[in-house]
């Protein structure tokens, strides 16, 4: 039996080689295995979505080679694309069902919205920076994620015309819980949000069948602040 050298096709590409060849799917698979699966993300639909969505297309061209690294990236307009693990973990904690309608606050580049598009029936996403709302909307449309609607607006107001939502996710941190958003949650719904100024924590709010809410804290996070709305 010949053990070595193996046929080149059997040898997994090293990361630099994958980068050179721009083998994005190899980088993506490596990201999911080492950063997401190996930690605590279990929802098969979330893992599948992260294996499919081309994260590198949501970052500026000059940052593409870093798109699958284990960290957030700063990508202009005071905006960041969250660390892959945080996107996976928050999506997992939301326990999204295929029939759900989800509201996202803070579209940014649209990567989290693209992941949500694979998990839910409908996604509505609000972004306060006009240029980002336009850019992410265009990208999501170009990539064919037709169940996502992005609009420029103040996330503190939510999206009253489409409320109530089964799930709500904030990807910018308000100093404290936002009652208007909790009000837009269906009974039986769940909201997840980074809360706080200097020491942020990830908070989950569950609304029961009678509309009573319960709040618990998961872990410490560092999101961009949710800026006060403009008129
Ligand atoms: N969801 C993104 C991360 C976005 S970073 C991802 O997939 O990577 C947070 C975003 O929230 C920024 O784009 C910022 O402009 C936006 N934001 C901040 N305050 C906001 C507000 N009040 N309403 C809506 N969006 C807001």
């Amino acid at each position: 039996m010949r053990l070595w050298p193996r046929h080149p096709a059997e040898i997994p590409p090293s990361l630099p080689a994958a980068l050179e060849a721009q083998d994005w799917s190899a980088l993506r698979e490596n990201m999911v295995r080492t950063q997401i699966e190996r930690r605590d993300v279990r929802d098969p639909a979330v893992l599948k979505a992260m294996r499919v969505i081309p994260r590198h297309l949501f970052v500026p061209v000059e940052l593409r080679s870093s798109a699958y690294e284990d960290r957030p990236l700063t990508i202009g307009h005071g905006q960041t694309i969250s660390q892959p693990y945080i996107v996976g973990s928050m999506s997992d904690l939301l326990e999204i069902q295929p029939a759900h309608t989800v509201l996202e606050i803070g579209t940014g580049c649209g990567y989290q919205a693209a992941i949500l598009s694979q998990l839910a029936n409908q996604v509505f996403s609000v972004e306060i920076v006009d240029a980002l709302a336009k850019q992410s909307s265009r990208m999501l449309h170009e990539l064919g994620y037709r169940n996502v609607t992005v609009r420029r607006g103040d996330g503190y107001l939510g999206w009253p015309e489409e409320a109530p939502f089964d799930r709500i996710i904030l990807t910018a941190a308000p100093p404290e819980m936002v009652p208007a958003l909790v009000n837009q949650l269906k009974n039986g719904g769940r909201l997840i949000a980074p809360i706080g100024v200097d020491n942020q924590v990830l908070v989950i709010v569950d609304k029961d069948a009678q509309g009573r809410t319960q709040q618990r804290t998961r872990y410490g996070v560092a999101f961009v602040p949710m800026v006060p709305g403009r008129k």
Side-chain angles (χ1 to χ4, degrees), residues 79-82 104-112 126-129 132 153-156 171-172 224-227:
Q79 174 224 8
T80 55
I81 178 169
S82 301
E104 179 191 32
I105 306 300
T107 321
C109 61
Y111 176 67
Q112 172 78 69
V126 184
E127 169 57 53
I128 203 158
V129 176
L132 290 173
D154 176 14
Y156 281 99
T171 65
V224 298
M226 193 164 150
V227 300

Short mmCIF file of all heavy atoms in Angstrom, two decimals, residues 79-82 104-112 126-129 132 153-156 171-172 224-227, ligand 1:
data_model
loop_
_atom_site.label_atom_id
_atom_site.label_comp_id
_atom_site.label_asym_id
_atom_site.label_seq_id
_atom_site.Cartn_x
_atom_site.Cartn_y
_atom_site.Cartn_z
N GLN A 79 -18.69 50.88 10.61
CA GLN A 79 -19.42 49.62 10.62
C GLN A 79 -18.46 48.45 10.72
O GLN A 79 -17.31 48.53 10.30
CB GLN A 79 -20.22 49.55 9.31
CG GLN A 79 -20.93 48.26 9.06
CD GLN A 79 -20.75 47.81 7.64
OE1 GLN A 79 -19.98 48.37 6.88
NE2 GLN A 79 -21.47 46.75 7.30
N THR A 80 -18.95 47.36 11.29
CA THR A 80 -18.15 46.14 11.33
C THR A 80 -18.98 44.98 10.79
O THR A 80 -20.20 45.05 10.79
CB THR A 80 -17.74 45.77 12.78
OG1 THR A 80 -18.93 45.69 13.57
CG2 THR A 80 -16.79 46.78 13.38
N ILE A 81 -18.29 43.95 10.31
CA ILE A 81 -18.96 42.68 10.03
C ILE A 81 -18.58 41.81 11.23
O ILE A 81 -17.41 41.69 11.58
CB ILE A 81 -18.54 42.06 8.68
CG1 ILE A 81 -19.22 40.70 8.46
CG2 ILE A 81 -17.03 41.94 8.52
CD1 ILE A 81 -19.05 40.15 7.02
N SER A 82 -19.58 41.26 11.89
CA SER A 82 -19.34 40.51 13.12
C SER A 82 -18.46 39.30 12.86
O SER A 82 -18.43 38.75 11.76
CB SER A 82 -20.67 40.05 13.72
OG SER A 82 -21.50 41.14 13.99
N GLU A 104 -34.20 42.22 11.77
CA GLU A 104 -32.81 42.49 12.17
C GLU A 104 -32.61 43.99 12.28
O GLU A 104 -33.06 44.74 11.41
CB GLU A 104 -31.82 41.94 11.13
CG GLU A 104 -30.36 42.23 11.52
CD GLU A 104 -29.33 41.96 10.42
OE1 GLU A 104 -29.67 42.13 9.23
OE2 GLU A 104 -28.21 41.59 10.75
N ILE A 105 -31.93 44.42 13.33
CA ILE A 105 -31.57 45.84 13.47
C ILE A 105 -30.07 45.95 13.25
O ILE A 105 -29.28 45.33 13.97
CB ILE A 105 -31.94 46.38 14.87
CG1 ILE A 105 -33.42 46.13 15.21
CG2 ILE A 105 -31.59 47.86 14.97
CD1 ILE A 105 -34.42 46.77 14.28
N GLY A 106 -29.67 46.74 12.25
CA GLY A 106 -28.25 46.93 11.93
C GLY A 106 -27.80 46.00 10.80
O GLY A 106 -27.06 45.06 11.01
N THR A 107 -28.26 46.29 9.59
CA THR A 107 -27.95 45.42 8.44
C THR A 107 -26.47 45.39 8.13
O THR A 107 -25.93 44.34 7.76
CB THR A 107 -28.67 45.92 7.16
OG1 THR A 107 -29.97 46.40 7.50
CG2 THR A 107 -28.76 44.85 6.10
N GLY A 108 -25.81 46.54 8.26
CA GLY A 108 -24.39 46.64 7.91
C GLY A 108 -24.18 46.17 6.49
O GLY A 108 -24.84 46.64 5.56
N CYS A 109 -23.28 45.23 6.30
CA CYS A 109 -22.98 44.73 4.96
C CYS A 109 -23.98 43.68 4.50
O CYS A 109 -23.98 43.28 3.34
CB CYS A 109 -21.59 44.14 4.96
SG CYS A 109 -21.46 42.75 6.09
N GLY A 110 -24.81 43.18 5.41
CA GLY A 110 -25.86 42.24 5.01
C GLY A 110 -25.54 40.77 5.22
O GLY A 110 -26.35 39.90 4.87
N TYR A 111 -24.37 40.47 5.80
CA TYR A 111 -24.00 39.05 5.96
C TYR A 111 -24.94 38.31 6.91
O TYR A 111 -25.45 37.23 6.58
CB TYR A 111 -22.55 38.94 6.46
CG TYR A 111 -22.13 37.51 6.73
CD1 TYR A 111 -22.01 36.58 5.69
CD2 TYR A 111 -21.90 37.07 8.03
CE1 TYR A 111 -21.64 35.26 5.95
CE2 TYR A 111 -21.53 35.75 8.29
CZ TYR A 111 -21.41 34.86 7.25
OH TYR A 111 -21.06 33.56 7.50
N GLN A 112 -25.20 38.90 8.08
CA GLN A 112 -26.12 38.24 9.02
C GLN A 112 -27.51 38.09 8.38
O GLN A 112 -28.16 37.05 8.55
CB GLN A 112 -26.21 39.07 10.32
CG GLN A 112 -27.26 38.60 11.30
CD GLN A 112 -26.85 37.37 12.11
OE1 GLN A 112 -25.96 37.44 12.95
NE2 GLN A 112 -27.52 36.25 11.85
N VAL A 126 -33.24 46.63 9.19
CA VAL A 126 -33.19 48.09 9.25
C VAL A 126 -31.76 48.55 9.45
O VAL A 126 -31.06 48.05 10.34
CB VAL A 126 -34.04 48.63 10.43
CG1 VAL A 126 -34.06 50.16 10.42
CG2 VAL A 126 -35.45 48.08 10.39
N GLU A 127 -31.33 49.52 8.64
CA GLU A 127 -29.98 50.07 8.75
C GLU A 127 -30.07 51.59 8.75
O GLU A 127 -30.75 52.17 7.91
CB GLU A 127 -29.13 49.58 7.57
CG GLU A 127 -27.79 50.26 7.39
CD GLU A 127 -26.88 50.19 8.62
OE1 GLU A 127 -26.65 49.10 9.12
OE2 GLU A 127 -26.44 51.27 9.07
N ILE A 128 -29.35 52.22 9.67
CA ILE A 128 -29.49 53.68 9.81
C ILE A 128 -28.65 54.45 8.79
O ILE A 128 -28.99 55.58 8.42
CB ILE A 128 -29.18 54.13 11.26
CG1 ILE A 128 -29.84 55.47 11.54
CG2 ILE A 128 -27.68 54.17 11.54
CD1 ILE A 128 -30.05 55.77 13.00
N VAL A 129 -27.56 53.85 8.30
CA VAL A 129 -26.70 54.55 7.33
C VAL A 129 -27.21 54.26 5.91
O VAL A 129 -27.22 53.10 5.47
CB VAL A 129 -25.22 54.10 7.46
CG1 VAL A 129 -24.35 54.75 6.41
CG2 VAL A 129 -24.70 54.40 8.86
N LEU A 132 -25.12 52.19 3.46
CA LEU A 132 -25.05 50.76 3.80
C LEU A 132 -26.35 50.05 3.48
O LEU A 132 -26.34 48.90 3.00
CB LEU A 132 -24.72 50.59 5.28
CG LEU A 132 -23.32 50.98 5.72
CD1 LEU A 132 -23.19 50.91 7.23
CD2 LEU A 132 -22.29 50.07 5.05
N GLY A 153 -33.53 53.21 8.16
CA GLY A 153 -34.43 53.68 9.19
C GLY A 153 -33.76 53.62 10.53
O GLY A 153 -32.62 53.17 10.65
N ASP A 154 -34.48 54.08 11.53
CA ASP A 154 -33.98 54.06 12.89
C ASP A 154 -34.43 52.78 13.57
O ASP A 154 -35.61 52.57 13.81
CB ASP A 154 -34.51 55.29 13.63
CG ASP A 154 -34.10 55.28 15.09
OD1 ASP A 154 -33.21 54.48 15.45
OD2 ASP A 154 -34.67 56.07 15.87
N GLY A 155 -33.45 51.95 13.89
CA GLY A 155 -33.74 50.66 14.51
C GLY A 155 -34.49 50.76 15.83
O GLY A 155 -35.17 49.82 16.23
N TYR A 156 -34.35 51.90 16.53
CA TYR A 156 -35.06 52.05 17.81
C TYR A 156 -36.58 52.00 17.61
O TYR A 156 -37.32 51.74 18.55
CB TYR A 156 -34.67 53.37 18.49
CG TYR A 156 -33.32 53.29 19.19
CD1 TYR A 156 -32.17 53.79 18.58
CD2 TYR A 156 -33.21 52.71 20.46
CE1 TYR A 156 -30.93 53.71 19.22
CE2 TYR A 156 -31.98 52.64 21.10
CZ TYR A 156 -30.85 53.14 20.48
OH TYR A 156 -29.63 53.05 21.12
N THR A 171 -27.91 43.80 16.00
CA THR A 171 -26.47 43.61 15.79
C THR A 171 -25.72 44.92 16.02
O THR A 171 -24.60 45.10 15.57
CB THR A 171 -26.16 43.02 14.39
OG1 THR A 171 -26.54 43.96 13.40
CG2 THR A 171 -26.89 41.72 14.16
N ALA A 172 -26.37 45.84 16.72
CA ALA A 172 -25.73 47.03 17.27
C ALA A 172 -26.26 47.11 18.70
O ALA A 172 -27.38 46.67 18.96
CB ALA A 172 -26.10 48.27 16.47
N VAL A 224 -20.76 47.43 17.88
CA VAL A 224 -20.80 48.88 17.72
C VAL A 224 -22.07 49.39 18.42
O VAL A 224 -23.06 48.67 18.50
CB VAL A 224 -20.78 49.32 16.23
CG1 VAL A 224 -19.50 48.88 15.54
CG2 VAL A 224 -22.00 48.82 15.48
N PRO A 225 -22.01 50.63 18.94
CA PRO A 225 -23.21 51.15 19.62
C PRO A 225 -24.36 51.37 18.64
O PRO A 225 -24.14 51.67 17.46
CB PRO A 225 -22.73 52.48 20.20
CG PRO A 225 -21.46 52.81 19.54
CD PRO A 225 -20.89 51.56 18.95
N MET A 226 -25.57 51.18 19.12
CA MET A 226 -26.74 51.51 18.33
C MET A 226 -26.96 53.02 18.51
O MET A 226 -27.20 53.48 19.63
CB MET A 226 -27.94 50.72 18.86
CG MET A 226 -29.13 50.75 17.94
SD MET A 226 -30.24 49.41 18.44
CE MET A 226 -31.78 50.16 17.95
N VAL A 227 -26.78 53.76 17.42
CA VAL A 227 -26.79 55.22 17.54
C VAL A 227 -28.23 55.73 17.65
O VAL A 227 -29.14 55.13 17.07
CB VAL A 227 -26.05 55.90 16.37
CG1 VAL A 227 -24.59 55.46 16.33
CG2 VAL A 227 -26.74 55.60 15.04
N1 LIG B 1 -25.35 42.71 10.89
C1 LIG B 1 -24.03 43.11 10.45
C2 LIG B 1 -23.25 43.85 11.50
C3 LIG B 1 -23.59 45.27 11.46
S1 LIG B 1 -22.63 46.34 12.46
C4 LIG B 1 -23.27 41.90 9.94
O1 LIG B 1 -23.88 41.03 9.39
O2 LIG B 1 -22.07 41.85 10.03
C5 LIG B 1 -23.95 47.29 13.15
C6 LIG B 1 -24.75 48.13 12.18
O3 LIG B 1 -25.77 48.76 12.93
C7 LIG B 1 -23.96 49.25 11.50
O4 LIG B 1 -24.08 49.10 10.11
C8 LIG B 1 -24.64 50.51 11.99
O5 LIG B 1 -24.70 51.53 11.00
C9 LIG B 1 -26.03 50.02 12.34
N2 LIG B 1 -26.77 50.85 13.30
C10 LIG B 1 -26.28 51.54 14.34
N3 LIG B 1 -27.28 52.20 14.98
C11 LIG B 1 -28.43 51.88 14.33
C12 LIG B 1 -29.80 52.24 14.51
N4 LIG B 1 -30.21 53.07 15.47
N5 LIG B 1 -30.70 51.73 13.65
C13 LIG B 1 -30.33 50.89 12.64
N6 LIG B 1 -29.05 50.53 12.42
C14 LIG B 1 -28.11 51.03 13.25
#
